[in-house]
Amino acid sequence: MGSEASPPPNQLHGFFFPLMAYGHMIPMFDVARMFAARGVKATIITTPMNASTFSKNVERDRLSGLDIDIHILRFPTEEAGLPEGCENVNNIDVPEMIPNFFKAVNMLQEPLEQLFENYHPDFIVADMFFHWATESASKFGIPRFVFHGTNIFCQCVEYSLNLYKPYEDIADAETFVVPGLPDKIEMNMQQLPDHFKLDTPFTEMVYKIRDSETKSYGVLVNSFYELEPAYADYYRNVMGRKAWQIGPVSLRNRNTVDKAQRGKQSAIDEHHVLNWLDSKEQNSVLYICFGSTSRMNTAQLLEIAMALEDSSYSFVWVIRTNGTDKDEKFLPEGYEERMEGKGLIITEWAPQVLILDHPSVGGFMTHCGWNSTLEGMSAGVPMITWPLFAEQFHNENLVTQVLKTGIRVGAGKWQQWLETKDVSVQKEKIQKSIQQLMGDSKEATEMRRKAKELGEMARKAVEDGGSSYTEFTSLIEELKISKQASSQKKHVI
């Protein structure tokens, strides 16, 4: 560990163990910092190659007085048949490596139990994919919290789909209603994740994750009550889950440095980005980003490029290609020169929270990963939704069917995240969606109004007295009482 000293007797000590994927690590780090800011000793568990994601921020937090550090576990790449250095989901470039990666993940169970033996923390927040962490923690009498990294709405939809199976005997293009939910949620077979339709190793993992959750101490949710109140109540009362909504956790990053250095090293200087955005009018810029894992082929990227060129709106576009050749050209000849002043193109990694929070940004074209979706909501920005895989279609339904702060543009077909082979959306459809979102129509104006209201609610939720702040406070108090009771029990024995 960065700091081997044991915490004072009355101080809570928590382990924070994210899956090695940026979409899981970044919010979990924010959660760890939230606990540390409340006086808890926070230990982040990760692997050598992933430690750099946290190291600068951890050092800055320690200098500010927070008790936070990193413990590194060796990732068994060789034993799992992975290439050396493949310690993050983002390092996977062929589908055949996915089972090997999760084989390596499962091999971390014994090292984690050794940490429990050596340090006996008061609780652990472990990623959903570490389904075995519930069993491991129970061996040592340690409460295990599940961190899904998504919202409660998604959990409710998955629960209903699994319970009622409304998709059985339904044609691909036919729409069905997800039963028993507070709202009328419509889907079709093409939007359904593969684990409902196919019997795969991942399907087996999904069942283990569900079982692990029901046996855990509870669930920490990166969301806030006012965002999905009916689903929070459904989750607790109908599904019988114990959960604390403590988000949006991204709002833990309040200053420019925290926002700019969240996650990987940005590919562009944040001051350059801010100066460029400062030159634009309020709500005039469209931000486009499809997350840290999704990879689009060059033909689809070309369609987006042409739609942006034909559009009258300024844009910031974060591009991550799927090819092994990083220098592969897909932009039209002279495109960047023609877009100078109108478009800012960033390759690989951008300071997303910093960009979304800028007043000139008036729309967000997103893959609907939950971190991005919630960051957009927190910034009060309406969205163009383009989901690809995982739970992203559920997030799209939350945005478009429940909250009504976005419009669909994607192909509407669930796919494996490494496979975006065809052009699924033509430039004309993309351009039309941009005009619908960024224009001054009655529909666009109403979406902007609702999005701004959501942003205000998000910020109030994490302030003193807000719903997330209050739930987080009650959780810490509960853990303190549990620690005290455990300590007294040991003393009596």
Side-chain angles (χ1 to χ4, degrees), residues 125-401:
V125 181
D127 194 279
M128 58 180 279
F129 284 103
F130 302 132
H131 51 81
W132 37 262
T134 297
E135 177 190 354
S136 294
S138 69
K139 291 179 184 178
F140 297 87
I142 297 168
R144 184 265 170 120
F145 294 89
V146 179
F147 187 74
H148 290 287
T150 188
N151 52 69
I152 287 181
F153 171 83
C154 170
Q155 305 302 318
C156 296
V157 172
E158 291 269 317
Y159 173 83
S160 176
L161 289 171
N162 185 58
L163 181 64
Y164 298 107
K165 298 178 172 48
Y167 50 85
E168 290 184 341
D169 302 319
I170 295 285
D172 267 8
E174 191 176 344
T175 299
F176 61 86
V177 175
V178 184
L181 297 178
D183 296 289
K184 183 182 177 182
I185 305 301
E186 295 182 324
M187 295 186 69
N188 62 48
M189 279 292 286
Q190 291 185 322
Q191 298 169 333
L192 208 60
D194 275 355
H195 64 260
F196 286 106
K197 298 178 284 189
L198 305 171
D199 190 13
T200 68
F202 188 76
T203 307
E204 182 183 354
M205 187 190 298
V206 168
Y207 283 112
K208 289 180 178 178
I209 290 168
R210 288 175 186 159
D211 183 60
S212 171
E213 179 185 331
T214 60
K215 294 175 181 176
S216 72
Y217 190 88
V219 182
L220 298 191
V221 186
N222 183 18
S223 179
F224 58 103
Y225 184 78
E226 294 82 359
L227 176 66
E228 43 181 356
Y231 295 92
D233 295 342
Y234 182 98
Y235 192 70
R236 294 178 174 108
N237 301 329
V238 178
M239 294 173 60
R241 303 291 198 270
K242 196 174 181 182
W244 291 264
Q245 289 167 284
I246 62 171
V249 300
S250 64
L251 294 180
R252 173 72 180 79
N253 302 276
R254 294 187 175 90
N255 59 53
T256 299
V257 175
D258 279 348
K259 292 176 184 178
Q261 294 186 6
R262 189 167 177 258
K264 289 174 67 178
Q265 178 68 39
S266 176
I268 191 168
D269 179 73
E270 65 267 22
H271 300 294
H272 176 71
V273 176
L274 290 174
N275 288 337
W276 190 89
L277 290 170
D278 285 343
S279 70
K280 304 298 178 184
E281 293 182 10
Q282 188 169 338
N283 295 325
S284 67
V285 177
L286 176 68
Y287 176 61
I288 307 106
C289 181
F290 295 100
S292 59
T293 306
S294 306
R295 306 176 192 181
M296 285 189 172
N297 61 65
T298 54
Q300 182 62 77
L301 291 171
L302 177 60
E303 293 292 316
I304 296 172
M306 292 188 294
L308 292 171
E309 182 168 10
D310 292 344
S311 165
S312 59
Y313 297 98
S314 299
F315 62 89
V316 176
W317 184 14
V318 184
I319 302 175
R320 300 187 183 100
T321 61
N322 71 338
T324 53
D325 180 6
K326 297 295 184 184
D327 297 321
E328 184 178 3
K329 301 296 182 185
F330 67 89
L331 292 173
E333 189 69 31
Y335 184 84
E336 292 185 71
E337 288 79 7
R338 292 197 302 278
M339 293 301 100
E340 188 171 349
K342 175 185 177 180
L344 183 63
I345 298 173
I346 304 172
T347 56
E348 295 307 320
W349 198 267
Q352 180 161 291
V353 170
L354 196 68
I355 293 170
L356 286 169
D357 279 347
H358 197 280
S360 70
V361 174
F364 181 14
M365 185 183 291
T366 172
H367 67 307
C368 296
W370 184 239
N371 291 323
S372 291
T373 304
L374 188 57
E375 286 160 15
M377 290 174 180
S378 301
V381 176
M383 299 173 218
I384 296 172
T385 61
W386 194 325
L388 299 166
F389 68 103
E391 90 294 357
Q392 293 164 10
F393 283 94
H394 301 324
N395 297 336
E396 176 185 58
N397 287 336
L398 176 63
V399 170
T400 59
Q401 296 188 41

Side-chain angles (χ1 to χ4, degrees), residues 443-480:
E443 179 191 20
T445 302
E446 181 62 11
M447 275 192 293
R448 277 195 289 272
R449 183 190 67 78
K450 289 180 178 178
K452 291 294 182 189
E453 283 183 358
L454 270 181
E456 290 170 9
M457 285 191 285
R459 293 179 187 281
K460 286 179 181 177
V462 299
E463 292 173 358
D464 193 350
S467 59
S468 293
Y469 186 96
T470 301
E471 284 205 23
F472 190 46
T473 301
S474 69
L475 170 61
I476 291 175
E477 290 305 311
E478 187 172 325
L479 287 168
K480 285 179 178 178

Side-chain angles (χ1 to χ4, degrees), residues 290 296-297 299-307 365 384-388 408-413 415 422-433:
F290 295 100
M296 285 189 172
N297 61 65
Q300 182 62 77
L301 291 171
L302 177 60
E303 293 292 316
I304 296 172
M306 292 188 294
M365 185 183 291
I384 296 172
T385 61
W386 194 325
L388 299 166
R408 302 173 185 268
V409 73
K413 184 176 181 180
Q415 57 196 343
D422 305 317
V423 172
S424 56
V425 188
Q426 301 292 332
K427 69 171 185 176
E428 292 80 10
K429 185 178 179 182
I430 301 168
Q431 188 179 353
K432 182 180 178 182
S433 71

